Amino acid sequence: MKKILSVTQFLLNGLRKHENIRCLHTGYISHQKQFVLTKDRYPHIKRGNYTELNDNHVKFFKDLLGSDRVLTDPNDVQPYNTDWIKMVCGYSRIVLKPKTTEEISNILKFCNKEKLAVCPQGGNTGLVGGSVPVFDEIVLSMSLMNKIININELSGTLVCEAGCVLETLDQELEKHNLMMPLDLGAKGSCQIGGNISTNAGGLRFLRYGSLQGNVLGVEVVLANGEVLDCLNVLKKDNTGFHLRHLFIGSEGTLGIVTKAALQCPPRPKSIILAFLGVEDFESVLSTLKLAKEQLSETLSSCELIDAPSLDAVNKYLGIKSPIDEFPFYVLIETSGSDVNHDEEKLNVFLDKAMTRGIVIDGIVTNEPSKMQNIWQLRERIAEALLHTGAVYKYDVSLPVQHFYEIVPLLQNELKDTSATVVTGYGHIGDGNLHVNIAAEEYDQDLVNNVIEPFVFKWVSEKKGSISAEHGIGLKKTEFLHYSKTPEAISLMKKLKNLFDPSGILNPYKVLPLH
Ligand code: FAD
Ligand code: 2HG
Ligand code: ZN
């Protein structure tokens, strides 16, 4: 058995390597980065009173899973310690890769008894620092829990293990003329268990609604190892408390999602995509309103891209816009069962939008490869902005009339600082704005003293939410009070204590420290 290294030895071994920024579409982009450990970046967070990993613990895990599913080599463990945007970095020394619910149950029973902290990890595409350890928590990787259990064409339901990758599930469902009720830029890496644990929104929320609505049932392993079977596949079931909802969006703090049942809509036979250029934000709002009125049941997505976001995709990924430059671009997708009917509706919408001068230019296509190219302009903004060096991300819900106001305000507020670009884009059809602030280097003082006080105060004054879809994770725990009352936070803490009295599941995440 390999000896457990000291923290310093471990860090040196693991972090010495060149780091790669994970690229969801094209593999890996080589990009050397300086690591800062979370414990140094957030010094106010203190390690909890958890047991440190020792050789006996490692032996137990190896006996349970076999040596090949227990990673302890620092080079193997390192990718699990760092998040997708390379802003948080723990120093876990071990990654466990269970294949069954029973193995997870035995792992948690043991960890609970030994008071070993655990960080559940899916595809590690989370954007709020929830998916990686803060200190030396054991990483519980769900990647090998990747079996599809059942697809029922008649009822339109899917039952699968939590580690299935979203895109793989969608590809399998396609064979049955069904689709996943959610889609997001990270689909090639994120897992359904991670999606459920973050209650991910995405690009078709407007049409299919939230995972709270689409997840029919879950199987969960609780902190003490108990298996909670709520793997219902019925669409209607009002038998008391809806326990599954507690695990949807609780970011691995209440239990490990091991299996899930989802309702899956029929795959549309006709999809049409329009990419439109508009002159000002007023016209963006008018486009959205008109699209809802005219396209009604066929509208399946309405997304906003501002000029700085499109510039970043062009500059860093070399993807060109198919139309001239505009301050804003609106992407409208329709899906239905009859291409003539859908086209007719879209033509009426476009005709009205152009005649009224709301939309100035645009292209429309139903060719799959062209649609894919256009989607890349939207889906790869997050990836493009990573090339700037450092990105501060805010994911807010706002009343739609205030949707973009914060972007010019921030551009002004940050004009004499190290921030180089402030962009706003996102799911305008759902009132969910992504504000991304890019800089060459990360500056914690700028974040603590300028950006966060400004963003969170402004959003709460406008009665928005400080997290529309990415969650609270590690990064927003101290701002939860902007979106939840003291009574709600107190009840959340009581629930956490009920489910996980030793606090071993994803500590330091979601709930405020005090
Ligand atoms: P991870 O990142 O591994 O984990 C996320 C959280 O869930 C962590 O707290 C982790 O501990 C917990 N967790 C993971 N698996 C389990 C499990 N089985 N049981 C219990 N807890 C678990 N989010 C959106 O909502 N909408 C978007 O449009 C969107 N687009 C994105 C685009 C890109 C390019 C990227 C990088 C991210 C995007 N995200 C988006 C953010 C992210 O939340 C989602 O990618 C996804 O839901 C996370 O899934 P994951 O498997 O990667 O989970
Ligand atoms: C998206 O909609 C994702 O592209 C990522 O939610 C947003 O990186 C971001 O801020
Ligand atoms: Zn999003």
Side-chain angles (χ1 to χ4, degrees):
M1 184 175 61
K2 248 193 203 135
K3 202 133 177 53
I4 297 286
L5 303 171
S6 74
V7 174
T8 329
Q9 273 173 312
F10 183 84
L11 290 174
L12 281 175
N13 289 2
L15 304 182
R16 205 179 277 138
K17 284 196 345 173
H18 282 204
E19 190 45 34
N20 292 313
I21 287 186
R22 184 92 180 271
C23 167
L24 299 168
H25 291 262
T26 54
Y28 287 86
I29 327 162
S30 179
H31 197 111
Q32 220 174 335
K33 282 232 111 183
Q34 192 79 44
F35 275 104
V36 178
L37 289 175
T38 306
K39 76 176 179 60
D40 298 328
R41 185 158 275 163
Y42 296 88
H44 66 283
I45 305 175
K46 303 292 175 219
R47 187 182 181 282
N49 188 20
Y50 299 103
T51 310
E52 277 191 31
L53 189 75
N54 64 35
D55 289 350
N56 290 335
H57 301 138
V58 178
K59 180 174 179 330
F60 173 86
F61 294 130
K62 287 193 172 171
D63 288 347
L64 181 71
L65 303 177
S67 300
D68 55 330
R69 291 194 282 125
V70 177
L71 312 183
T72 51
D73 182 320
N75 291 329
D76 295 336
V77 175
Q78 178 50 28
Y80 298 83
N81 266 318
T82 321
D83 71 333
W84 189 75
I85 52 174
K86 306 286 175 268
M87 209 172 267
V88 286
C89 180
Y91 53 88
S92 175
R93 297 180 217 177
I94 189 163
V95 177
L96 307 179
K97 303 189 98 178
K99 277 187 174 167
T100 64
T101 301
E102 195 189 349
E103 285 176 352
I104 296 184
S105 167
N106 285 326
I107 290 168
L108 288 195
K109 219 176 274 172
F110 181 74
C111 290
N112 199 41
K113 184 166 75 59
E114 294 291 316
K115 210 167 185 242
L116 288 161
V118 176
C119 175
Q121 190 177 97
N124 197 10
T125 66
L127 297 172
V128 286
S131 53
V132 292
V134 179
F135 297 96
D136 56 345
E137 299 89 275
I138 290 170
V139 177
L140 186 69
S141 165
M142 298 299 290
S143 304
L144 300 182
M145 295 273 302
N146 59 0
K147 285 198 263 322
I148 294 179
I149 299 164
N150 181 258
I151 295 175
N152 187 322
E153 276 182 31
L154 195 60
S155 59
T157 51
L158 160 78
V159 183
C160 67
E161 290 182 337
C164 290
V165 170
L166 177 61
E167 190 171 48
T168 312
L169 289 176
D170 195 55
Q171 285 163 351
E172 282 306 310
L173 286 166
E174 187 173 12
K175 298 175 189 161
H176 302 267
N177 295 321
L178 297 170
M179 64 181 281
M180 286 302 280
L182 82 160
D183 186 14
L184 37 132
K187 57 182 153 262
S189 301
C190 65
Q191 302 173 1
I192 191 63
N195 301 145
I196 291 172
S197 302
T198 55
N199 190 24
L203 304 161
R204 303 219 166 64
F205 186 103
L206 169 79
R207 172 73 164 266
Y208 301 108
S210 77
L211 279 174
Q212 289 279 359
N214 286 306
V215 173
L216 302 171
V218 286
E219 178 192 80
V220 177
V221 179
L222 301 175
N224 62 4
E226 208 174 286
V227 180
L228 182 67
D229 182 353
C230 296
L231 202 58
N232 172 62
V233 286
L234 302 169
K235 302 221 168 151
K236 296 185 81 173
D237 172 32
N238 264 351
T239 49
F241 301 160
H242 290 217
L243 294 175
R244 70 179 181 280
H245 288 303
L246 283 172
F247 302 97
I248 305 172
S250 58
E251 302 181 57
T253 59
L254 298 183
I256 309 294
V257 178
T258 45
K259 294 190 184 101
L262 286 101
Q263 62 178 8
C264 302
R267 209 166 188 92
K269 292 196 175 61
S270 117
I271 302 177
I272 314 175
L273 196 58
F275 184 71
L276 311 172
V278 294
E279 289 289 9
D280 51 41
F281 190 68
E282 273 312 301
S283 303
V284 172
L285 290 181
S286 307
T287 308
L288 172 64
K289 186 160 179 285
L290 191 66
K292 282 186 174 171
E293 283 163 14
Q294 296 296 322
L295 303 170
S296 57
E297 83 288 354
T298 61
L299 183 63
S300 51
S301 193
C302 182
E303 295 284 317
L304 175 75
I305 305 175
D306 71 353
S309 301
L310 199 77
D311 286 349
V313 178
N314 187 338
K315 180 170 168 192
Y316 296 111
L317 305 178
I319 308 172
K320 299 257 174 302
S321 164
I323 61 173
D324 280 347
E325 287 183 12
F326 284 90
F328 297 99
Y329 307 86
V330 181
L331 207 152
I332 296 225
E333 185 196 72
T334 64
S335 313
S337 58
D338 179 342
V339 73
N340 294 330
H341 166 267
D342 298 353
E343 233 172 41
E344 208 172 296
K345 279 189 140 176
L346 189 64
N347 286 340
V348 174
F349 158 72
L350 288 173
D351 192 39
K352 284 193 193 291
M354 306 279 273
T355 317
R356 293 180 195 175
I358 300 169
V359 167
I360 307 300
D361 193 9
I363 68 152
V364 179
T365 179
N366 63 359
E367 261 183 60
S369 65
K370 289 197 176 133
M371 290 197 288
Q372 206 187 346
N373 287 344
I374 293 173
W375 266 120
Q376 292 205 26
L377 293 168
R378 165 63 188 88
E379 290 186 39
R380 298 183 68 183
I381 299 169
E383 180 193 328
L385 287 163
L386 274 190
H387 289 257
T388 56
V391 190
Y392 318 115
K393 289 181 177 294
Y394 301 95
D395 152 50
V396 298
S397 259
L398 285 164
V400 77
Q401 69 272 20
H402 297 302
F403 192 80
Y404 197 75
E405 280 169 19
I406 191 171
V407 179
L409 289 175
L410 268 170
Q411 280 163 346
N412 188 44
E413 192 81 10
L414 298 174
K415 66 176 179 303
D416 299 321
T417 67
S418 59
T420 47
V421 189
V422 179
T423 75
Y425 61 99
H427 317 288
I428 184 145
D430 313 309
N432 174 190
L433 173 73
H434 294 308
V435 179
N436 280 206
I437 300 160
E440 273 173 27
E441 278 179 16
Y442 191 83
D443 178 351
Q444 190 67 47
D445 287 340
L446 185 68
V447 173
N448 290 350
N449 303 328
V450 184
I451 302 177
E452 300 207 326
F454 183 88
V455 171
F456 294 134
K457 188 163 167 287
W458 194 89
V459 169
S460 104
E461 277 168 11
K462 295 286 178 275
K463 306 263 178 282
S465 166
I466 64 156
S467 173
E469 59 174 10
H470 297 160
I472 297 297
L474 171 79
K475 291 188 185 163
K476 296 182 198 155
T477 56
E478 300 315 309
F479 306 103
L480 189 61
H481 65 92
Y482 281 110
S483 292
K484 285 267 186 297
T485 62
E487 294 75 19
I489 294 176
S490 159
L491 187 57
M492 283 169 72
K493 285 184 174 170
K494 284 182 195 152
L495 282 170
K496 168 70 179 172
N497 201 34
L498 179 71
F499 277 81
D500 180 17
S502 307
I504 60 159
L505 284 182
N506 225 2
Y508 326 104
K509 315 284 171 62
V510 182
L511 290 161
L513 294 174
H514 302 290

